[in-house]
Amino acid sequence: MDLSPLSLAQSLLRCPSVTPEEGGALAFIERVLREVGFEVHRPVFSEPGTPDVENLYARYGAGEPFLLLAGHTDVVPPGDASRWRHDPFSGRIENGELYGRGAVDMKGGIACMMAAALGFIRERPSFKGSVGFLITGDEEGPAVNGTVKLLDWAKTRGERFDHCILGEPTNPGRLGDMIKIGRRGSLTGRIIVEGKQGHVAYPHLAENPIPGLMRLLSGLLGEPLDHGTEHFDASNLEVTTVDVGNPASNVIPAEVRAAFNIRFNDLWTPQSLEEEIERRLSEAAGNAVRYSLKVDPTNAVAFLTPPNDFVAFIADAVEAETGFRPKLSTTGGTSDARFIVKHCPVVEFGLVGQT
């Protein structure tokens, strides 16, 4: 079997592993790892109201230190496949570029980690320590039956990790640009402002909720949540939708709804942030606006792996291979590193993710 990164990536791309379907991707990884001596497990986790998800955990060696390589094989839906230049699950190469859903996020990253680990084992089959893979099929979905449960499952078996590299696409322009040492958290809130429906010709008989919503949103957006920290940008609140659902231009609506999302740094927890949102809304509403707030449950909290010897070691290795000193960053969305950091230090480094 060809164990080059390109061949491994093509094999993974040909697996239609759209969340929550395994699509053959984990089965392929299992087959490759077992052939070189990894002990492989394929636990399936469940939760009411969410789809069952297959996962993979593999380990080579029994000693310390234990380096964990983590990632996900699930991908987002490809949309209308006829609009792709190549079939999204073909793994085709054109002009030196590999095409397929998940090529960068993150089957290509998994292929690179597999090739590196297999090459290392081939050269040093009796090395001191252990190397493992923790791969989920639920990163692009609810993230309920994936990494978080797989880590707990491994912990109950007595598995302990010293360090972890997560292969998310961290490089914005070229390989060697950036290592992620943390991520901001994510919190979504939903506001309903109540009014009283009526005809626009008789406004005194109605109560338009839209000005009330504008008042509330101004209260939320009037002052920055913070000004950032040593390793994090400032938290930002973005209004993502305002919905009235009113088909008539001459009718004052009975209610208006809005949603917002906050990407928050390590100054906040979901609880403290919700309290601040409540305070701002209450202050803005006064006695003039009738509203309700619902904050969605979240497992996306801000986290940080402080720059230490492990981070410096990875940065040195990246610079040695690419010639570029990577920036240490906490930008971007959430990742499964937010679960891994509770078990061991983790950094993210992967392919170039320009799209």
Side-chain angles (χ1 to χ4, degrees):
M1 179 185 295
D2 185 353
L3 299 179
S4 68
L6 177 58
S7 178
L8 292 170
Q10 286 181 298
S11 295
L12 288 170
L13 288 173
R14 290 167 184 152
C15 300
S17 53
V18 177
T19 315
E21 298 301 323
E22 183 269 338
L26 296 180
F28 171 75
I29 294 173
E30 178 182 14
R31 185 167 68 253
V32 172
L33 295 183
R34 281 193 185 278
E35 287 183 359
V36 296
F38 276 83
E39 179 183 342
V40 183
H41 302 270
R42 294 272 302 279
V44 178
F45 301 119
S46 303
E47 186 83 17
T50 63
D52 293 354
V53 174
E54 295 186 54
N55 300 272
L56 181 144
Y57 177 77
R59 178 170 182 166
Y60 185 100
E64 298 176 351
F66 187 175
L67 175 63
L68 188 66
L69 304 173
H72 64 92
T73 52
D74 62 317
V75 297
V76 297
D80 184 356
S82 67
R83 302 186 67 178
W84 283 65
R85 183 180 305 175
H86 303 292
D87 185 297
F89 299 109
S90 66
R92 290 285 300 276
I93 299 173
E94 180 183 289
N95 298 326
E97 293 188 333
L98 178 62
Y99 287 81
R101 174 58 89 217
V104 171
D105 188 10
M106 58 165 288
K107 291 180 176 179
I110 290 176
C112 291
M113 292 192 296
M114 290 175 65
L118 297 177
F120 181 81
I121 291 170
R122 191 164 50 244
E123 295 176 4
R124 305 173 182 83
S126 300
F127 68 93
K128 177 185 175 182
S130 302
V131 62
F133 284 87
L134 186 136
I135 310 295
T136 185
D138 190 32
E139 199 269 354
E140 301 287 5
V144 170
N145 294 319
T147 296
V148 63
K149 288 187 177 179
L150 188 55
L151 286 163
D152 289 341
W153 173 89
K155 184 177 181 179
T156 62
R157 291 173 48 85
E159 302 289 278
R160 298 293 182 269
F161 317 117
D162 291 289
H163 301 96
C164 177
I165 301 173
L166 179 62
E168 289 284 355
T170 59
N171 294 281
R174 63 189 178 190
L175 200 66
D177 275 347
M178 185 176 290
I179 293 173
K180 303 280 189 182
I181 59 170
R183 296 275 190 159
R184 292 181 297 174
S186 175
L187 188 75
T188 294
R190 306 176 192 278
I191 303 170
I192 301 176
V193 178
E194 300 175 20
K196 183 179 180 182
Q197 190 180 66
H199 199 283
V200 297
Y202 301 94
H204 59 289
L205 299 178
E207 181 185 350
N208 195 328
I210 296 176
L213 177 64
M214 295 170 62
R215 182 169 171 170
L216 295 183
L217 295 182
S218 294
L220 288 181
L221 300 169
E223 295 290 335
L225 288 166
D226 56 67
H227 298 284
T229 64
E230 180 182 0
H231 297 292
F232 285 88
D233 292 338
S235 303
N236 69 290
L237 184 154
E238 298 294 336
V239 179
T240 54
T241 179
V242 174
D243 302 295
V244 180
N246 185 3
S249 62
N250 61 347
V251 175
I252 295 172
E255 68 174 29
V256 60
R257 298 170 178 252
F260 59 87
N261 181 263
I262 304 172
R263 295 304 166 106
F264 60 93
N265 58 37
D266 54 349
L267 290 173
W268 303 94
T269 66
Q271 294 74 26
S272 66
L273 194 55
E274 182 176 350
E275 291 171 1
E276 174 64 12
I277 295 303
E278 287 274 19
R279 186 193 67 78
R280 292 188 178 203
L281 290 175
S282 177
E283 185 176 284
N287 296 320
V289 183
R290 292 180 292 130
Y291 74 94
S292 62
L293 170 69
K294 177 181 180 296
V295 175
D296 292 355
T298 183
N299 57 17
V301 297
F303 69 91
L304 178 72
T305 296
N308 54 21
D309 290 345
F310 170 58
V311 174
F313 182 84
I314 299 299
D316 290 343
V318 171
E319 184 176 20
E321 290 296 325
T322 66
F324 304 112
R325 187 69 181 178
K327 177 182 178 181
L328 304 182
S329 173
T330 58
T331 58
T334 61
S335 77
D336 277 358
R338 67 188 188 272
F339 305 126
I340 299 169
V341 74
K342 298 176 182 178
H343 295 257
C344 69
V346 56
V347 297
E348 299 177 54
F349 185 77
L351 301 181
V352 177
Q354 294 180 328
T355 60

